């Protein structure tokens, strides 16, 4: 590998995955908004026959935002900053370029086919693991291709030290690989029964309590290695780069990395409190969840302190606003989660709307904000154009921030009301309310959530439009900006 | 002792072990900076100065450099 004066980073793969991030983000959030509306107005279930029911659409929402939107965002940012922090262009290796393109097409077509399969009702019936076995094989192939690409790029790097974001992305790769494989161990019934039933159908290798344990070890660590680890990696690159300030404490970033790795894996059983899993395991899940505040806040505080002495940027640069708000929402959801994991609190919170409320202050405020901010940062560098409109970004920021607040506050009220009503007893110990009483009371909050969905989705469309206009009508940049992203 | 009890104890002792490792790591980070063997904070510049033409913050793995410097 020789250094070559005309050597440049190659953003073609980053661009491709950026398009997918926007496509799947739009689809996933559109379906999210539809199911939110269905919960408020059940008649909306019957518009498209079996294909429009809540039960068909909910897995499409969750899988599309996780495996479509978030994972594309992770791929897009990797193919952008991976090159930069390793100081090597992916175009220096034809092999890696070809591999990356195979990964892209396999992923794109696989994800579309998998989404259609869910629409047709083909499902393995495990949460966030609904894709049936042929699609699982595609997921594994895509993941292995990404792994080879990542290790390959690391192998030909010029910068010997691996920047902290690379650590986080490596952990994302290893973590998801392990989780996905183990949770999706399943037997295709057609082939083992000598040709009975549907070839797409499978049964899990686990049953009963074991199934629940493996499922929530997976489910919770999907949050860890999909929604936390790569997003922390993202902010550790994009916030310093955008603000021109190095990470406040690199040592703290290393320490909280190992802290997260160590603690997260044990917290999953907080999804199974008061269930049939061994008692010590439930207690362990609770305890580790509370301890999880430390590495989470360690990362978040490190992000916020990176802005030390430069807080004026918060008012001047909307991109900094997105990222600072993202880390603030990260703090909110990582204090809320541990609170919900305390056994006595969980007795009220479990099965209620407080849980999706918690999920969405994290995913809307933290994950999606950070992915959009990363794309805002990358777009002018990838397309060599100024961002199309700062005003539109500001408007999007406020619209979506309001939407997130409406989402989680309505679900807090709904969830706690529900939890209290379910357990309320009269003086003789009889339950005071039937299920439908709670539904009636919760109707206004479901309506507010549906409204917040419309607002967030509108914000996402504004984002997509801004990126599109940047591509086709942004002012040409003569030089790649070093720090602050130029915007009109 | 049945299997779930063994698992419980194993998990407890592993936790203690990992806590010690984690604290050991903090001590290691600070001690190697104090002794001047490593400067962790300079790695933060990898993100800031990331042109393909920029000079790498570290052109050899730190362990190798340390060995050479202390030969
Ligand atoms: C327009 C934005 C969105 C709206 C309106 C929305 C709405 C919803 C609704 C109504 C549910 C079902 C709740 C229930 O069954 O009671 C849900 C579940 C879920 N959503 Fe979203 N969503 C949005 C965006 C996102 C994004 C961007 C992500 C992730 C990146 C996400 C991740 C999830 C997850 C993981 C669940 C399952 C939660 C659980 O099982 O407790 N959502 N969403």
């Amino acid at each position: 590998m020789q250094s070559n004066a005309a050597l440049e980073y190659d953003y073609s793969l980053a661009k491709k995955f950026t398009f997918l991030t926007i496509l799947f983000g739009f689809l996933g959030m559109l379906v999210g908004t539809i199911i939110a509306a269905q919960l408020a107005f059940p008649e909306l279930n019957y518009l498209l026959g079996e294909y429009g029911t809540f039960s068909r659409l909910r897995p499409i929402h969750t899988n599309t935002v996780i495996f479509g939107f978030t994972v594309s965002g992770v791929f897009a940012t990797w193919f952008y900053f991976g090159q930069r922090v390793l100081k090597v262009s992916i175009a220096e290796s034809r092999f890696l370029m070809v591999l990356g393109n195979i990964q892209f097409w396999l992923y794109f077509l696989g994800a579309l086919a998998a989404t259609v399969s869910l629409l047709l009702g083909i499902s393995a019936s495990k949460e966030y693991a609904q894709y049936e076995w042929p699609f699982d094989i595609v997921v594994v192939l895509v993941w292995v291709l990404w792994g080879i690409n990542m290790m390959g790029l690391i192998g030909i790097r010029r910068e010997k030290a691996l920047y902290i974001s690379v650590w986080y992305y490596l952990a994302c790769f290893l973590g998801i690989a392990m989780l996905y494989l183990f949770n999706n161990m399943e037997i295709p019934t057609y082939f083992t029964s000598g040709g009975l039933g549907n070839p797409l159908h499978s049964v899990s290798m686990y049953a009963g309590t074991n199934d629940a344990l493996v499922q929530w070890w997976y489910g919770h660590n999907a949050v860890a290695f999909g929604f936390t680890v790569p997003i922390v990696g993202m902010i550790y690159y994009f916030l310093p780069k955008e603000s021109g300030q190095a990470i406040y404490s690199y040592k703290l970033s290393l320490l909280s990395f190992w802290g997260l790795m160590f603690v997260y894996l044990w917290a999953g059983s907080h999804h199974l409190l008061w269930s049939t899993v061994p008692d010590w395991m439930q207690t362990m899940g609770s305890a580790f969840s509370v301890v999880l505040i430390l590495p989470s806040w360690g990362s978040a505080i490190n992000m916020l302190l990176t802005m030390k002495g430069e807080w004026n940027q918060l008012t001047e640069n909307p991109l900094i606003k997105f990222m600072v708000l993202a880390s603030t929402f990260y703090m909110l959801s990582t204090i809320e989660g541990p609170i919900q994991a305390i056994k006595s609190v969980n007795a009220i919170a479990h099965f209620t709307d407080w849980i999706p409320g918690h999920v969405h202050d994290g995913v809307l405020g933290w994950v999606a904000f950070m992915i959009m901010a990363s794309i805002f940062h990358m777009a002018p560098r990838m397309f060599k154009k100024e961002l199309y409109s700062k005003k539109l970004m500001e408007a999007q920021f406020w619209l979506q921030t309001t939407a997130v607040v409406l989402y989680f506050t309505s679900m807090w009220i709904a969830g706690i009301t529900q939890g209290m009503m379910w357990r309320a007893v009269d003086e003789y110990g009889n339950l005071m309310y039937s299920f439908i009483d709670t539904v009636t009371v919760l109707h206004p909050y479901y309506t507010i959530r549906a409204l917040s969905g419309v607002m967030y989705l509108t914000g996402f469309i504004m984002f997509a439009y801004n990126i599109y206009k940047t591509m086709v009508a942004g002012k040409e940049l003569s030089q790649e900006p070093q720090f602050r992203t130029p915007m009109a | 002792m049945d299997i779930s009890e063994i698992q419980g104890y194993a998990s407890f002792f592993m936790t203690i072990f990992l806590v010690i490792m984690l604290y050991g790591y903090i001590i290691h980070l600070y001690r190697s900076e104090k002794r001047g063997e490593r400067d962790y904070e300079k790695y933060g510049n990898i993100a800031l100065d990331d042109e393909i033409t920029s000079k790498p913050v570290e052109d050899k793995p730190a362990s190798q450099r340390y060995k050479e410097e202390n030969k």
Side-chain angles (χ1 to χ4, degrees):
Chain A
M1 205 171 50
Q2 279 151 7
S3 47
N4 171 343
L7 206 54
E8 269 190 25
Y9 292 127
D10 185 307
Y11 296 137
S12 56
L13 285 164
K15 278 186 213 166
K16 285 183 181 145
F17 281 110
T18 298
F19 297 140
L20 286 196
T21 313
I22 295 175
L23 174 72
F24 285 129
F26 172 72
L27 282 179
M29 293 183 210
L30 176 68
V31 178
T33 306
I34 295 174
I35 58 175
Q38 289 179 335
L39 285 170
F41 306 103
E43 313 82 64
L44 295 174
N45 268 275
Y46 308 114
L47 296 180
L48 284 171
E50 63 177 295
Y51 306 107
T53 53
F54 181 83
S55 51
R56 279 290 164 89
L57 295 181
R58 191 186 195 273
I60 295 187
H61 168 58
T62 51
N63 287 289
T64 307
V65 288
I66 298 172
F67 297 110
F69 171 64
T70 308
V71 169
S72 312
V74 171
F75 289 161
T77 49
W78 167 258
F79 285 113
Y80 175 85
F81 83 75
Q83 304 182 65
R84 303 192 62 112
V85 297
L86 298 170
K87 297 199 176 78
V88 59
S89 168
I90 188 166
E92 288 175 62
S93 160
R94 256 188 75 82
F95 172 69
L96 294 183
M97 279 304 284
V98 171
L99 218 62
N101 278 295
I102 300 177
Q103 179 194 339
F104 172 80
W105 286 107
L106 191 63
Y107 170 74
F108 182 30
L109 300 175
L112 282 184
T115 309
V116 173
S117 77
L118 293 179
L119 195 62
L120 296 176
I122 299 165
S123 165
S125 306
K126 274 164 80 87
E127 196 164 14
Y128 321 133
Q130 282 99 345
Y131 295 151
E132 267 294 6
W133 65 271
F135 304 105
D136 287 341
I137 293 175
V138 177
V139 173
V140 171
L141 283 177
V142 168
W143 208 250
V144 169
L145 286 173
W146 183 47
I148 298 177
N149 217 315
M150 200 158 34
M151 309 296 172
L153 203 62
I154 292 175
I156 60 171
R157 72 196 190 273
R158 295 197 177 78
E159 174 64 71
K160 282 296 174 272
L162 294 184
Y163 185 62
I164 186 69
S165 302
V166 178
W167 290 43
Y168 277 95
Y169 274 54
L170 281 171
C172 165
F173 168 72
L174 291 173
I176 300 282
M178 167 183 80
L179 295 160
Y180 202 88
L181 278 180
F182 277 100
N183 191 45
N184 285 293
M185 292 281 184
E186 58 210 355
I187 303 195
T189 43
Y190 181 82
F191 299 97
T192 47
S193 66
L196 292 179
N198 189 331
L200 291 175
H201 181 259
S202 68
V203 285
S204 174
M205 283 198 193
Y206 314 102
T209 303
N210 284 337
D211 182 45
L213 266 175
V214 177
Q215 169 62 32
W216 286 109
W217 168 77
Y218 165 82
H220 191 72
N221 286 299
V223 176
F225 291 93
F227 285 158
T228 301
V229 163
I231 313 296
V232 174
M234 254 174 230
I235 199 166
Y236 274 149
Y237 173 78
F238 289 104
L239 183 63
K241 187 65 186 171
E242 180 68 28
S243 66
Q245 299 267 95
I247 292 185
Y248 174 70
S249 165
Y250 199 83
K251 283 190 289 300
L252 180 56
S253 74
L254 292 173
L255 182 67
S256 38
F257 175 83
W258 288 113
L260 278 182
M261 296 302 121
F262 161 30
V263 182
Y264 244 120
L265 281 170
W266 305 98
S269 54
H270 66 215
H271 286 265
L272 298 165
L273 299 179
W274 306 109
S275 75
T276 52
V277 306
D279 206 39
W280 67 263
M281 207 179 265
Q282 300 185 24
T283 309
M284 178 184 77
S286 279
F288 272 85
S289 303
V290 174
V291 176
L292 203 47
I293 297 176
L294 291 174
S296 307
W297 278 48
S299 309
I301 287 172
N302 210 358
M303 293 159 199
L304 293 177
L305 283 175
T306 297
M307 293 309 297
K308 202 172 141 192
E310 284 290 323
W311 283 106
N312 56 314
Q313 291 195 27
L314 187 65
T315 52
E316 293 156 8
N317 183 352
L319 249 177
I320 297 285
K321 256 189 220 161
F322 272 96
M323 294 200 245
V324 166
L325 195 89
S327 35
T328 316
F329 270 113
Y330 179 51
M331 291 180 92
L332 173 69
S333 50
T334 52
I335 189 91
E336 187 185 15
I339 292 175
Q340 294 182 328
I342 296 169
K343 272 187 168 178
S344 49
V345 180
N346 194 264
I348 298 184
H350 198 54
F351 296 127
T352 72
D353 287 311
W354 190 6
I355 308 295
H358 163 63
V359 170
H360 289 84
D361 51 53
V363 292
L364 299 179
W366 157 242
V367 179
F369 261 47
M370 204 43 231
I371 291 176
M372 291 187 295
S374 305
I375 291 178
F376 273 136
H377 176 96
M378 298 191 303
R381 282 128 177 128
M382 294 192 297
F383 302 118
K384 305 193 175 17
K385 302 266 180 74
E386 206 176 66
L387 275 182
Y388 174 68
S389 166
K390 179 177 175 179
K391 271 213 187 96
L392 196 59
M393 267 174 93
E394 294 271 5
Q396 178 204 339
F397 175 84
W398 288 111
L399 184 66
Q400 290 191 317
T401 304
T402 315
V404 185
V405 173
L406 284 179
Y407 195 127
F408 74 77
T409 45
S410 61
M411 289 301 103
W412 278 356
I413 303 175
I416 294 171
T417 307
Q418 221 174 7
M420 299 303 263
M421 284 176 79
W422 284 342
R423 54 164 46 203
V425 283
D426 65 16
E427 53 194 319
Y428 305 109
N430 300 317
L431 288 176
M432 284 172 67
Y433 303 103
S434 67
F435 187 76
I436 196 66
D437 296 330
T438 64
V439 177
T440 317
V441 174
L442 299 182
H443 185 255
Y445 306 109
Y446 285 170
T447 311
I448 295 174
R449 177 189 32 204
L451 176 72
S452 85
V454 173
M455 289 164 71
Y456 201 91
L457 181 66
T458 310
F460 195 80
I461 294 170
M462 288 158 80
F463 159 74
Y465 178 74
N466 213 345
I467 298 294
Y468 170 72
K469 284 302 252 185
T470 300
M471 247 169 67
V472 298
K475 211 174 90 201
E476 294 275 346
L477 290 174
S478 53
Q479 211 187 358
E480 186 172 279
Q482 194 187 2
F483 298 126
R484 185 173 172 163
T485 300
M487 50 190 85
Chain B
M1 231 174 3
D2 66 356
I3 178 90
S4 77
E5 221 171 307
I6 297 174
Q7 288 168 334
Y9 280 115
S11 139
F12 179 77
F13 286 110
M14 189 150 81
T15 306
I16 301 282
F17 171 73
L18 287 171
V19 167
I20 295 171
M21 294 293 287
L22 204 58
Y23 275 89
Y25 186 57
I26 306 179
I27 295 169
H28 163 75
L29 287 178
Y30 278 87
R31 196 182 275 166
S32 47
E33 266 201 353
K34 214 165 168 193
R35 286 200 193 132
E37 293 168 10
R38 295 290 289 268
D39 170 11
Y40 288 101
E41 296 309 325
K42 76 172 183 212
Y43 296 131
N45 292 326
I46 297 177
L48 299 186
D49 187 12
D50 62 350
E51 295 309 319
I52 197 154
T53 45
S54 333
K55 195 175 159 328
V57 171
E58 209 167 76
D59 48 13
K60 285 185 191 134
S63 52
Q64 198 181 336
R65 216 163 17 99
Y66 179 67
K67 261 190 231 150
E68 286 172 14
E69 280 165 11
N70 289 283
K71 240 193 256 171

